[in-house]
Amino acid sequence: MAINLTNLNNRSLQLDQARSTQQKTNVSAGNSTQASPQRIAQGDSVNITSQAKNLTAMEHDLAQGTPVNESKVESLKKAIADGSYQVDAAKLAKSMSNFESLLA
């Protein structure tokens, strides 16, 4: 199940502003801030974890586009096409082993 976290902070801010406006209206109309709980709508609260905030930031960054070093990509394509690209087998094996250890 996907959860859209894009506008949670904006929605929370809007709810806080609406509550503040309602309280100011009650005070200026002569009502005390001790209005009955039934008259003031209590909204749900949400606590966003740091992981969720990081995911939201990553989502934003991805929406902006992934930076790609086009010159490096082109030079690698050229090296592969003309056969001059050499793979360091030991380095590749070590990287694969490190990656596998991260998955476990």
Side-chain angles (χ1 to χ4, degrees):
M1 179 169 95
I3 299 173
N4 182 358
L5 298 175
T6 306
N7 291 320
L8 283 180
N9 290 337
N10 291 340
R11 182 68 178 141
S12 176
L13 181 61
Q14 290 172 347
L15 288 173
D16 290 343
Q17 289 173 343
R19 285 189 197 117
S20 176
T21 302
Q22 179 65 36
Q23 289 173 351
K24 289 177 184 176
T25 303
N26 286 342
V27 170
S28 66
N31 298 338
S32 71
T33 56
Q34 298 174 354
S36 65
Q38 294 83 10
R39 290 183 51 111
I40 299 175
Q42 297 295 322
D44 294 333
S45 66
V46 176
N47 293 325
I48 307 296
T49 65
S50 61
Q51 289 176 333
K53 290 177 183 176
N54 289 340
L55 287 173
T56 302
M58 286 174 40
E59 180 183 49
H60 180 277
D61 291 343
L62 288 174
Q64 300 299 319
T66 305
V68 176
N69 186 343
E70 295 293 335
S71 63
K72 185 171 184 176
V73 171
E74 289 303 317
S75 67
L76 287 172
K77 283 182 182 180
K78 184 180 177 186
I80 292 169
D82 66 20
S84 64
Y85 182 75
Q86 299 294 319
V87 176
D88 183 353
K91 184 178 176 182
L92 176 63
K94 185 175 181 178
S95 294
M96 290 174 65
S97 176
N98 289 340
F99 180 72
E100 288 291 325
S101 68
L102 292 174
L103 295 176

